[in-house]
Amino acid sequence: MLSDKFGRRIDYLRLSVTDRCNLRCTYCMSEDMNFLPRQQILSLEEIYQVAAAFVELGIRKIRLTGGEPLIRRDILKLVEAVAKLPDLQELTMTTNGTMLPEMATSLKSAGVSRLNISIDSLQPQRFKQLTRVGELDQVIAGIEAAIDAGFKRVKLNAVILDGFNQDEVVDLAQYAISNGLDISFIEEMPLGDISSHQRQNTQISSQHIKDQLISRFNLLESTDKTGGPSRYMRVADSPSRIGFISPISDNFCASCNRVRLTAEGRLLLCLGNEHSVDLRAIIRAYPSDTAPLKAAIINAMQIKPERHHFDPQRTDIVRFMNMSGG
Ligand code: SAM
Ligand code: SF4
């Protein structure tokens, strides 16, 4: 089993399969992004090799993410292979939903068991403003396709920015409840230097969001966990849960069970720090021997930092979120 020097057991891997995306969310990317040259990105075979090594070392949950994972060519082949890894308990994906109308059914058959779909606004104009290029209809159709494909416990993710979509918290929650979905509200993290807004001006705390919701819905305390950082409340008389991901206002690092692999094969030990190990160099140096890869993974746990120190006033981490995978 993997564990770090603070005694935290690591059983959850987030795999970014691409840094590219068909949207340009203002809080995630700058307008003119440079993406990695293709030869720097891990091949699907290399990603599989890393996933298999992690599962042999005790990882039980893998989330595929990006960038937008569904724009990676042949992603379904990777899903099929990873889903078959013995001992993996759950394979999930975070997506912006735009490709789900065509892909939801095949994703389900290939072995993805749960989906998180990001949607920050239910107003078409505003959705376009937040994503720079996105069409809301496409994402709504994607959510419906995921439900029709039989995905259980689809969860929506909404990053709430003061001055942009803080007035839609109740509408987003109502949309989730009406469709029997879960929803998590996420505090914006200062990752990457963006041009569209000053992050210190758009911060809004989970408590503030919760207060808005409590005035409209009957929310009940809950100890539900889905393996990630969301803290959940249940909605009375509904299957829906409302989660709060509060990296700024309520540090959750003490219970962190996660590591991330970036699209170029860097094992990132913490979203809010730069501690990392280049696994690509190892798999390319030893393509048919997994022992050095596994040794590097085990050793890497020792440099996992105790916690992040996000401060919306400062962008200490120049890495954008599409690099790390959400
Ligand atoms: N493209 C997919 C999507 O949007 O769901 C997967 C990758 S995206 C980086 C994963 C999640 O990170 C999304 O829910 C997105 O809203 C969130 N995210 C991106 N940048 C963020 C930031 N600076 N702070 C907080 N959440 C962020
Ligand atoms: Fe793309 Fe997801 Fe980043 Fe939006 S949040 S730009 S959809 S990677």
Side-chain angles (χ1 to χ4, degrees):
M1 295 297 110
L2 293 171
S3 60
D4 71 2
K5 66 177 187 228
F6 303 101
R8 293 173 296 195
R9 191 173 154 202
I10 310 302
D11 59 7
Y12 182 1
L13 172 66
R14 293 193 178 181
L15 274 176
S16 172
V17 298
T18 177
D19 62 330
R20 290 166 195 253
C21 188
N22 54 350
L23 302 185
R24 293 284 183 278
C25 302
T26 54
Y27 52 79
C28 176
M29 294 189 180
S30 69
E31 195 156 13
D32 51 342
M33 289 290 284
N34 290 319
F35 295 105
L36 293 165
R38 288 190 199 279
Q39 65 279 14
Q40 285 187 26
I41 299 274
L42 292 190
S43 67
L44 293 181
E45 292 72 23
E46 288 170 332
I47 297 175
Y48 174 76
Q49 205 179 333
V50 176
F54 265 104
V55 173
E56 283 176 36
L57 290 170
I59 289 290
R60 293 294 169 261
K61 173 171 174 179
I62 293 181
R63 174 173 298 283
L64 300 175
T65 175
E68 174 47 42
L70 293 180
I71 66 168
R72 175 86 197 237
R73 190 190 303 236
D74 290 335
I75 183 70
L76 291 174
K77 289 188 186 153
L78 178 71
V79 169
E80 262 172 26
V82 172
K84 288 197 187 102
L85 285 170
D87 297 329
L88 182 66
Q89 286 166 2
E90 199 176 31
L91 178 61
T92 63
M93 180 179 279
T94 304
T95 168
N96 63 28
T98 53
M99 309 281 284
L100 286 175
E102 305 94 74
M103 296 183 75
T105 304
S106 21
L107 262 188
K108 178 95 178 32
S109 327
V112 167
S113 53
R114 271 194 313 122
L115 285 176
N116 285 2
I117 305 174
S118 302
I119 181 164
D120 304 321
S121 173
L122 294 167
Q123 301 174 15
Q125 285 292 18
R126 188 181 273 186
F127 184 82
K128 176 154 277 167
Q129 188 191 1
L130 282 165
T131 57
R132 291 198 178 96
V133 291
E135 298 293 340
L136 177 65
D137 285 356
Q138 232 177 324
V139 177
I140 298 285
I143 294 169
E144 288 166 1
I147 298 168
D148 291 346
F151 279 102
K152 301 284 177 246
R153 296 235 76 104
V154 171
K155 187 177 74 137
L156 307 181
N157 275 343
V159 177
I160 302 300
L161 309 183
D162 204 10
F164 287 91
N165 63 349
Q166 83 295 339
D167 54 345
E168 274 196 78
V169 165
V170 167
D171 289 351
L172 284 160
Q174 185 59 62
Y175 174 77
I177 294 166
S178 305
N179 289 283
L181 311 173
D182 292 340
I183 184 165
S184 280
F185 293 101
I186 306 175
E187 290 176 354
E188 180 185 16
M189 289 177 277
L191 294 170
D193 215 355
I194 50 164
S195 48
S196 56
H197 58 272
Q198 301 283 332
R199 296 198 200 262
Q200 69 265 33
N201 298 337
T202 51
Q203 275 303 312
I204 177 163
S205 71
S206 292
Q207 188 57 52
H208 201 91
I209 294 169
K210 204 183 278 185
D211 290 344
Q212 288 191 54
L213 293 168
I214 286 173
S215 66
R216 282 292 292 274
F217 304 105
N218 186 3
L219 298 186
L220 312 169
E221 291 298 335
S222 157
T223 52
D224 286 7
K225 288 259 166 241
T226 53
S230 253
R231 295 191 174 137
Y232 284 101
M233 299 191 84
R234 286 196 161 270
V235 182
D237 304 320
S238 151
S240 293
R241 295 176 295 193
I242 300 189
F244 300 92
I245 303 181
S246 323
I248 310 296
S249 67
D250 186 11
N251 185 291
F252 44 65
C253 301
S255 59
C256 183
N257 59 346
R258 300 173 286 289
V259 291
R260 294 175 158 81
L261 188 78
T262 68
E264 87 268 48
R266 190 152 63 97
L267 176 61
L268 196 58
L269 283 311
C270 170
L271 198 52
N273 286 281
E274 289 299 0
H275 302 61
S276 67
V277 174
D278 181 4
L279 296 186
R280 184 185 62 192
I282 297 167
I283 41 185
R284 292 192 180 168
Y286 305 96
S288 50
D289 180 3
T290 58
L293 174 62
K294 284 193 195 161
I297 293 171
I298 293 167
N299 291 337
M301 297 304 127
Q302 296 314 306
I303 61 162
K304 185 169 165 63
E306 186 172 15
R307 55 166 297 171
H308 65 70
H309 296 275
F310 284 135
D311 176 352
Q313 309 282 344
R314 300 193 322 253
T315 307
D316 294 338
I317 305 292
V318 293
R319 170 175 26 84
F320 289 95
M321 188 70 169
N322 69 307
M323 290 297 299
S324 335

